[in-house]
Amino acid sequence: MKTNLKWLNDYLTPGLDLSEQAVLDLAQQIELTAVEIEEVGQAAAKQDGLVVVRVDEVKDHPDSDHLHITQVFDGQEQIQVVTGAPNVAEGQLVILASVGSHIIDRESGEMVKIRKAKLRGEVSYGMLSALQEIGLPDALCPEPIENGIYVFDEKAGVNPGDDALEVLGLKDPMVDTDLTPNRADLLSMRGMAYELAAMTNQQVQEQQDSEAPVSATQAVDQVTVTAASQSLATGVALSVINDLTVEKSPLALQRRLWTSGIKPTNNVLDAMQEQLLATGQPLAAFDLATLPDSNLTVRLAKEGEVLGQGDGEEAIALRAGQDIVLVSGSKVLALAGIQQDPNFAVSEKTRNVLLVAGQYNPSLIRQAARRHGLRSASSFRLERGIDRSNTQTALSSAANRIALLANGTVAAGQALVGFNQEEQVTITMPLGRFNQVLGTSLTEDEILTLLRKLALDVAVDQGKLTAVIPGRRTDLRIPADLVEEVGRLYGYDNLPTALIDGQSTAGDLTGRQKKIRASRQIMQALGFDQAISYALMTPEKATAFNIGADHPVLALDYPMSSDRTTARQNLLSGLIDDVAYNVARSVKNMALYEQGRVFLNDNAGTQPVEQEHLAAVLVGSIAESTWQPVVKEREVDFYAMKGRVESYLENIGIENVTFKAAKEHQNMHPGQTADIYAGSVYLGYVGQVHPEFLAKQKLPAIFAFELNLEEMIDLAKRDNAYQPISRYPQITRDLAILVDADLANQEVVDLIWQTAGQHLKTVSFFDLYIGQGTPENKKSLAYQLTYQDQNDTLVEEKVTKDFAKVQTALVEKFGAEIR
């Protein structure tokens, strides 16, 4: 929030030192004690030489149809200035950038020096300026630059020779704070005054306008208000200002707004915005004559209701049963606390104004603002919590301010709904708790003095401190909050430091952490690049590639967007999104993996189960060599991915791995997908993503796997250990068999391992033949079996005996024909 320290001094006694160095010191103190500082300085930056001048003479340039030659008076002398401003006229008080002055160039943002110039033969000693030409952004200027130079109002109280930057407020020292969500009190001048008063030993003087004329008419005779439920608004107050005149605001008010980042509009709306900045209480103003009904209702939107936006803009469709609306008759006046229908807004024709102050449900305001993309200064404050004890006071002050500025009268009283007396928040805690937590030795008087600096009502009785919390401090609710307040005001730098008392221990990773880290290293060694995907996605994607049984989806109550509503139950959906992203950018070859958590919601009444999973995808071609010209690339296939899965499982320490054909995975190719087991434990699956699934997104063939890393961590109890390479020779045997065409290769391999004896080291499948010479419904499979003894030389007779057992088992179990 931008805080104008000159304005803030209206609240403080004796007041802050506003010299340049003092402001810098104050900013540092704020940063060390309260919140971070974004920027410190003046809106004028380093501009200078800008003065108020009176236009005494205007005549047309003889050689131009749009230039004018003016004579202006700066309080000491007449100066000739040539200008193209269409609105220049005699008697005006305007801004002159004199020769030698420095202003900010609105196009480049650079500081430029004004020099004497000759325009069509006439000498100009400076430049008459618009606000945009001296550094004020277009969005904050009350008039567009096309209208010409800025002209001071006759009631502005400025004189020729005055420093223009000073009278415009552009030299007021500003502090821009980056507020944390809990410090809603610092979103107002009032709250900031209490904070800085505590830091600098000042006294706070509350500011309130109350001197406007009051009419005999009661506000409730003109309007009333009801609320469907106190859960929507704990209180709504209405004030009426009658017989006013809507016009431009005085300069003193305008400069408060534009230095705070708000564009001045008219005296009614500007006073309302001033009150928002002063107290943090959002207000809404309506032209009373345009309301369809004198009774206003706060309720939830109904089906089909819309909020008009005026100027031919499409109306906003409201969410039935979700958006809080302010209604008059059958017309929706406003999306409460966020935006109002311009058709009921205050205009130059307005004579009677209805002013509304509401204490709306912060949660519903936050949801509606996000849902419709309508974040505003009002919704920002309502979301974080306003001072409910000050709403009626702020409304009364705003109504008086408007009446004084617009020459109106305030209707007596306020129309109210809600405002049931709330009990003040009281915190009770042992006094010794402060020193115990902070490590200090503060006395009772020192603790009470620090808390009273915050204007808290505190007392101590028999060692217990009781603090009554004012409504503006919505962040103070528990004893720890008071401890923090004492600590920060005492000074974090003053808190004692101490070494941790205890025996130091060597840091180490747990077995689980080691496996998770090793898993990533293995995947990277296998040529995969790590991807990190969103954990939130659509319900369809969240369940598209689940391992094992399906689980109920875990949906967010308040998602940030429609495509991030559900917690994922698999990693493959995110990786496929990554593939789509890369394909759209002409990346053809990809090897990506992700290791992360999925969320299984088996019981809606408890937190979901979080499982660590591992998934990967292969797309495109594999280059076996990047430097040998004879080695060609080949397209990825099922076996390329299966081989990588086998290598991963072997390196992570999983034994007895088997693959079984699987057809039940909905979005996987039924002929190229296999479930993966370690003994009887199901680990996951590997295969090709179904072509129909990919065709919808126009993606190439994707081969993928997903594994339950939790199961593997439990199975891989041992770490991989070095085993020396055997010094003894190997003996190989080739085995060719004729079997039924529907017999799976894995079944044959499993049987070989079960019957081949203890010296079998590897089984390599190297040939599949179906064709001429092969009987119908039969196929020929060929394997190479490698035998080796780790400690001795194998003899031929031993290998032959073990090999014969394999052949016999294949014949007996599968009816295989040995070829």
Side-chain angles (χ1 to χ4, degrees):
M1 174 180 167
K2 295 180 184 294
T3 301
N4 186 322
L5 297 182
K6 185 175 181 180
W7 181 9
L8 191 70
N9 261 352
D10 292 347
Y11 290 81
L12 298 174
T13 303
L16 300 170
D17 181 354
L18 299 183
S19 63
E20 184 176 359
Q21 187 56 51
V23 170
L24 292 175
D25 292 341
L26 176 64
Q28 184 177 20
Q29 188 177 3
I30 293 172
E31 192 155 44
L32 291 174
T33 308
V35 292
E36 291 187 7
I37 298 293
E38 288 285 330
E39 189 177 2
V40 182
Q42 305 169 345
K46 297 298 181 181
Q47 297 180 107
D48 59 35
L50 295 164
V51 295
V52 177
V53 294
R54 184 183 65 236
V55 180
D56 289 340
E57 180 183 315
V58 178
K59 61 182 181 180
D60 293 336
H61 195 294
D63 291 333
S64 173
D65 57 358
H66 71 281
L67 292 178
H68 308 283
I69 303 172
T70 67
Q71 300 295 324
V72 299
F73 178 64
D74 68 352
Q76 295 182 354
E77 60 179 337
Q78 292 283 340
I79 302 172
Q80 176 170 297
V81 179
V82 180
T83 180
N87 63 330
V88 66
E90 293 179 1
Q92 293 174 335
L93 291 172
V94 298
I95 304 168
L96 171 66
S98 57
V99 174
S101 63
H102 297 85
I103 64 171
I104 297 174
D105 183 84
R106 66 187 303 265
E107 299 294 336
S108 66
E110 300 291 331
M111 195 75 71
V112 296
K113 184 177 182 179
I114 299 298
R115 303 179 186 280
K116 182 177 69 173
K118 184 174 285 190
L119 301 175
R120 302 277 182 97
E122 295 290 339
V123 177
S124 179
Y125 296 93
M127 179 180 78
L128 301 185
S129 303
L131 294 178
Q132 292 90 335
E133 294 173 309
I134 59 172
L136 203 63
D138 289 335
L140 301 182
C141 295
E143 297 289 341
I145 193 171
E146 292 78 14
N147 287 4
I149 57 177
Y150 180 77
V151 180
F152 289 97
D153 187 88
E154 295 178 358
K155 301 177 183 179
V158 298
N159 299 296
D162 288 348
D163 186 330
L165 296 174
E166 188 75 41
V167 298
L168 291 171
L170 299 183
K171 282 192 174 181
D172 293 353
M174 303 292 296
V175 174
D176 191 358
T177 50
D178 183 13
L179 304 183
T180 53
N182 65 312
R183 293 306 305 270
D185 59 306
L186 300 185
L187 287 169
S188 68
M189 299 298 293
R190 176 173 173 258
M192 187 64 77
Y194 277 104
E195 183 69 15
L196 296 191
M199 293 183 197
T200 59
N201 296 315
Q202 305 267 339
Q203 296 297 316
V204 176
Q205 304 295 324
E206 292 270 6
Q207 301 292 305
Q208 183 179 356
D209 289 288
S210 58
E211 299 177 357
V214 178
S215 67
T217 306
Q218 295 286 325
V220 292
D221 294 335
Q222 295 180 273
V223 289
T224 57
V225 60
T226 58
S229 169
Q230 280 217 343
S231 64
L232 304 181
T234 56
V236 179
L238 312 181
S239 276
V240 177
I241 306 97
N242 295 309
D243 303 321
L244 51 71
T245 302
V246 179
E247 58 186 4
K248 188 168 66 172
S249 299
L251 177 61
L253 175 52
Q254 290 192 52
R255 69 188 185 190
R256 279 186 175 182
L257 296 186
W258 61 49
T259 56
S260 300
I262 297 176
K263 178 180 179 178
T265 307
N266 58 54
N267 51 2
V268 174
L269 298 182
D270 291 353
M272 186 179 73
Q273 294 284 16
E274 180 188 40
Q275 195 63 216
L276 175 71
L277 294 172
T279 66
Q281 173 62 55
L283 302 168
F286 301 94
D287 184 337
L288 192 60
T290 63
L291 302 188
D293 195 293
S294 63
N295 179 58
L296 272 61
T297 303
V298 176
R299 60 168 172 80
L300 291 176
K302 296 179 180 179
E303 196 67 43
E305 285 188 323
V306 298
L307 178 69
Q309 296 196 82
D311 295 332
E313 294 286 332
E314 183 179 356
I316 299 171
L318 301 173
R319 298 291 183 94
Q322 299 182 57
D323 293 337
I324 306 176
V325 293
L326 184 65
V327 180
S328 172
S330 61
K331 294 291 186 180
V332 175
L333 304 182
L335 183 58
I338 300 174
Q339 183 166 308
Q340 68 184 71
D341 187 335
N343 293 315
F344 306 102
V346 173
S347 67
E348 292 181 356
K349 299 178 181 179
T350 300
R351 291 296 172 263
N352 302 298
V353 168
L354 169 64
L355 207 57
V356 181
Q359 300 173 349
Y360 304 111
N361 184 304
S363 180
L364 295 180
I365 293 294
R366 183 184 303 111
Q367 295 168 38
R370 282 185 179 173
R371 189 181 299 124
H372 298 291
L374 296 173
R375 303 297 292 273
S376 65
S378 293
S379 69
F380 189 76
R381 286 163 172 79
L382 287 168
E383 289 174 18
R384 284 154 177 77
I386 60 174
D387 182 356
R388 294 182 179 182
S389 66
N390 195 54
T391 297
Q392 292 173 256
T393 302
L395 177 64
S396 175
S397 181
N400 273 267
R401 178 74 159 147
I402 291 172
L404 290 170
L405 291 172
N407 297 315
T409 58
V410 180
Q414 297 176 349
L416 305 174
V417 64
F419 295 103
N420 295 332
Q421 189 66 32
E422 294 186 14
E423 291 187 8
Q424 286 186 300
V425 175
T426 301
I427 300 175
T428 301
M429 61 183 294
L431 189 65
R433 184 63 176 163
F434 291 94
N435 289 328
Q436 182 183 3
V437 173
L438 299 174
T440 54
S441 55
L442 297 171
T443 65
E444 176 182 320
D445 287 342
E446 288 174 324
I447 293 172
L448 294 179
T449 298
L450 290 173
L451 292 175
R452 284 168 180 158
K453 283 184 176 183
L454 295 166
L456 304 184
D457 183 4
V458 292
V460 175
D461 183 23
Q462 296 182 355
K464 283 191 174 295
L465 178 138
T466 301
V468 179
I469 309 302
R472 58 188 166 78
R473 290 304 301 268
T474 57
D475 59 315
L476 303 183
R477 290 296 179 266
I478 59 176
D481 295 332
L482 291 183
V483 175
E484 182 181 4
E485 294 300 289
V486 169
R488 69 186 187 86
L489 289 179
Y490 179 66
Y492 292 130
D493 291 346
N494 296 325
L495 297 179
T497 58
L499 295 175
I500 297 174
D501 185 17
Q503 184 178 359
S504 61
T505 58
D508 194 12
L509 298 177
T510 64
R512 173 188 172 84
Q513 290 170 329
K514 289 178 181 177
K515 288 297 179 185
I516 290 175
R517 183 170 295 189
S519 180
R520 295 193 184 104
Q521 293 171 345
I522 294 168
M523 291 302 294
Q524 290 162 6
L526 290 171
F528 290 91
D529 295 318
Q530 185 177 17
I532 299 176
S533 304
Y534 287 106
L536 297 174
M537 50 189 63
T538 63
E540 295 76 20
K541 290 181 179 180
T543 58
F545 296 94
N546 285 3
I547 293 177
D550 289 333
H551 304 268
V553 296
L554 179 64
L556 274 65
D557 289 337
Y558 309 116
M560 294 182 65
S561 62
S562 59
D563 56 346
R564 306 288 177 203
T565 63
T566 309
R568 66 186 179 189
Q569 297 182 10
N570 66 84
L571 302 182
L572 268 185
S573 289
L575 286 174
I576 290 174
D577 285 345
D578 296 338
V579 170
Y581 179 90
N582 281 277
V583 167
R585 287 154 181 78
S586 302
V587 179
K588 297 180 180 180
N589 303 325
M590 284 165 270
L592 303 175
Y593 85 94
E594 180 169 7
Q595 185 174 299
R597 292 182 181 180
V598 300
F599 306 88
L600 308 179
N601 183 30
D602 290 332
N603 186 343
T606 63
Q607 293 293 324
V609 176
E610 298 184 25
Q611 283 186 355
E612 196 80 17
H613 277 207
L614 175 71
V617 292
L618 280 179
V619 182
S621 302
I622 300 173
E624 295 295 341
S625 174
T626 57
W627 58 274
Q628 293 172 295
V630 295
V631 177
K632 303 294 184 182
E633 290 186 347
R634 63 183 180 87
E635 293 293 317
V636 298
D637 55 19
F638 172 83
Y639 296 103
M641 182 58 91
K642 177 175 177 286
R644 284 162 172 77
V645 173
E646 290 175 322
S647 180
Y648 167 80
L649 293 173
E650 179 182 358
N651 280 278
I652 204 68
I654 305 298
E655 300 175 342
N656 302 321
V657 176
T658 57
F659 296 82
K660 296 183 180 179
K663 298 183 179 180
E664 67 275 9
H665 298 284
Q666 181 180 359
N667 293 312
M668 300 297 290
H669 194 302
Q672 295 196 45
T673 302
D675 284 331
I676 308 169
Y677 291 86
S680 60
V681 179
Y682 179 55
L683 300 181
Y685 60 86
V686 60
Q688 181 182 0
V689 179
H690 204 296
E692 291 183 359
F693 180 89
L694 299 175
K696 297 175 184 178
Q697 303 182 58
K698 298 181 181 179
L699 297 178
I702 299 176
F703 292 88
F705 74 80
E706 182 153 348
L707 299 171
N708 185 343
L709 195 54
E710 302 289 352
E711 297 285 4
M712 292 188 289
I713 290 172
D714 291 338
L715 289 171
K717 297 297 185 183
R718 63 170 180 82
D719 291 328
N720 288 346
Y722 167 75
Q723 291 184 347
I725 298 173
S726 176
R727 296 178 298 164
Y728 302 100
Q730 299 175 341
I731 297 177
T732 60
R733 290 285 187 270
D734 288 344
L735 173 65
I737 56 175
L738 189 68
V739 294
D740 293 339
D742 59 355
L743 181 63
N745 169 68
Q746 189 65 49
E747 295 183 68
V748 177
V749 173
D750 290 344
L751 185 60
I752 292 174
W753 279 107
Q754 293 169 13
T755 59
Q758 63 177 336
H759 299 303
L760 181 65
K761 293 300 180 185
T762 62
V763 177
S764 301
F765 173 70
F766 66 85
D767 186 54
L768 165 67
Y769 178 72
I770 301 174
Q772 186 176 0
T774 304
E776 187 176 357
N777 295 326
K778 294 287 185 178
K779 62 182 177 182
S780 175
L781 305 176
Y783 303 87
Q784 184 178 76
L785 284 62
T786 302
Y787 295 85
Q788 187 178 36
D789 191 336
Q790 191 72 17
N791 304 310
D792 200 358
T793 300
L794 273 178
V795 294
E796 190 78 18
E797 292 78 6
K798 177 61 177 174
V799 173
T800 301
K801 184 178 179 181
D802 288 346
F803 186 65
K805 291 179 180 179
V806 172
Q807 293 175 315
T808 301
L810 290 170
V811 172
E812 291 177 352
K813 185 168 183 178
F814 300 131
E817 178 182 334
I818 308 300
R819 309 186 73 184

